[in-house]
Structures are given as C-alpha cells and as structure tokens.
Amino acid sequence: MEQFTKYIADDAHYTEVIQRIPLVKRQLWIGTADIKDLYVARGKQAVPLLAVLAGLIRKGVEIRLIHAKEPGPAFREDFDRYPELATGLERALCPRVHFKLMIFDLETAYIGSANLTGAGIGMKSSLRRNFEAGILTNDPALVESAIDQFDRVWMGTHCRKCGRKTFCGDRIV
C-alpha cells in the first residue's frame, strides 16, 4: 500500500473519513469527546451511524469507542434498536478524553478536531457544519502514535493519577 497523509477540512471529514467506516475488515477504534446520533448515507438512504456499526459487529469487526460524556436520548434510542451494540461494542467513558481519533484496521488513522456528531463529522449541510480540520494517514509513525494514545487511555494508564475521578461514572480501572 502506498503511504499517504492528507490534510482534510470541512466536508472532506464526511467524504474521506466517515465513508471509510463500512470498509473496515477487523478493527475500528473511535475516540471522541462528544458523540451524538449522527446519520450517514447508505445507498440513497440516510441511516444512523449506529446501524453501520451494528452491521460491522455482525461481520466480526472489533469496535472500541472511547467518549467523554454520555450521549443524549436520541443516541440511546437508536442504540437500543441494535442489540448487537450492547454485547459487541466495547465502550469506555473517560471525562478527560478530548482527542478525536479513528483508527481503521490499525493501518490508517484520522487525527483531527471533529467530534462524532452531525455538525462535526456527520451528514449535515455545509451551512450547518462546524469548521473542522484533521489529517487522514497511513504513515506508520503517525498511525502508531494514534494507536498508542488510544491504547493508553483504553488500558487505564492515566486513571490512577486522574484528577477527575469524581466525574467518572464508568471507570476504566
């Protein structure tokens, strides 16, 4: 595979990043401060991203999600429509997470500013979208750094010394 690093902004977050999700074969790791019930295109329809994630889980894809706060009622309602998410989505809540990462099959990474929301990275009109920036890369050094940062939080490396434990309702360690 040819090595690449692309700077992406605004609508490219949707076309370059979100559209990679259904193509994942083995692992998808997502880190975001905020997560909402965002929609993505599936053919000519708009479907919840959660439907896409549920489909990946049914295909045996390992999905890990770290987010900083509990999502709202629309997200929880859609979450409940896909029972495989309750058993197959590995999730951690860490109130200190502010990074925005997506790691695709441990080979490609998105590192940027966009939260997992409609205005951040979802299917919204360019008139309602946030101004976002990031990089999409398969450069081994950058991907490895993203994996390492995600993994340190996932494994609870920072938990013992965390100054926000009183806000952590879903402790990793």
Side-chain angles (χ1 to χ4, degrees):
M1 178 179 356
E2 187 175 324
Q3 195 170 313
F4 71 89
T5 298
K6 294 174 148 182
Y7 173 78
I8 54 177
D10 302 323
D11 288 346
H13 281 84
Y14 183 76
T15 57
E16 297 281 337
V17 179
I18 288 293
Q19 290 182 350
R20 287 178 178 267
I21 291 175
L23 306 176
V24 171
K25 303 290 184 222
R26 297 174 308 282
Q27 292 113 349
L28 174 63
W29 293 1
I30 302 169
T32 185
D34 193 11
I35 184 168
K36 293 186 178 169
D37 191 30
L38 70 108
Y39 279 67
V40 299
R42 185 188 299 166
K44 293 184 180 190
Q45 293 183 324
V47 300
L49 176 64
L50 292 171
V52 176
L53 297 181
L56 289 173
I57 290 168
R58 284 191 297 272
K59 292 179 183 176
V61 173
E62 167 199 293
I63 302 176
R64 290 183 174 175
L65 170 65
I66 301 174
H67 55 103
K69 62 183 184 179
E70 286 295 342
F75 178 95
R76 290 192 303 270
E77 197 174 293
D78 266 348
F79 187 93
D80 291 343
R81 290 177 43 207
Y82 305 101
E84 50 276 284
L85 295 173
T87 56
L89 176 67
E90 297 179 77
R91 188 190 65 82
L93 185 72
C94 175
R96 294 196 54 201
V97 164
H98 200 263
F99 57 63
K100 285 76 174 186
L101 299 172
M102 280 196 209
I103 302 166
F104 306 92
D105 287 324
L106 304 179
E107 295 173 350
T108 303
Y110 163 74
I111 305 162
S113 66
N115 280 307
L116 206 61
T117 65
I121 202 165
M123 194 174 136
K124 278 238 179 185
S125 159
S126 60
L127 301 175
R128 295 180 167 213
R129 185 177 297 287
N130 294 339
F131 304 124
E132 306 287 1
I135 62 167
L136 184 65
T137 184
N138 68 357
D139 177 296
L142 291 172
V143 173
E144 190 59 40
S145 291
I147 289 169
D148 185 55
Q149 182 179 21
F150 187 100
D151 212 30
R152 280 181 296 167
V153 173
W154 186 261
M155 300 303 290
T157 301
H158 306 290
C159 291
R160 286 180 187 25
K161 296 179 184 177
C162 178
R164 306 221 3 122
K165 286 183 183 177
T166 57
F167 300 98
C168 189
D170 188 22
R171 291 196 183 164
I172 296 168
V173 174

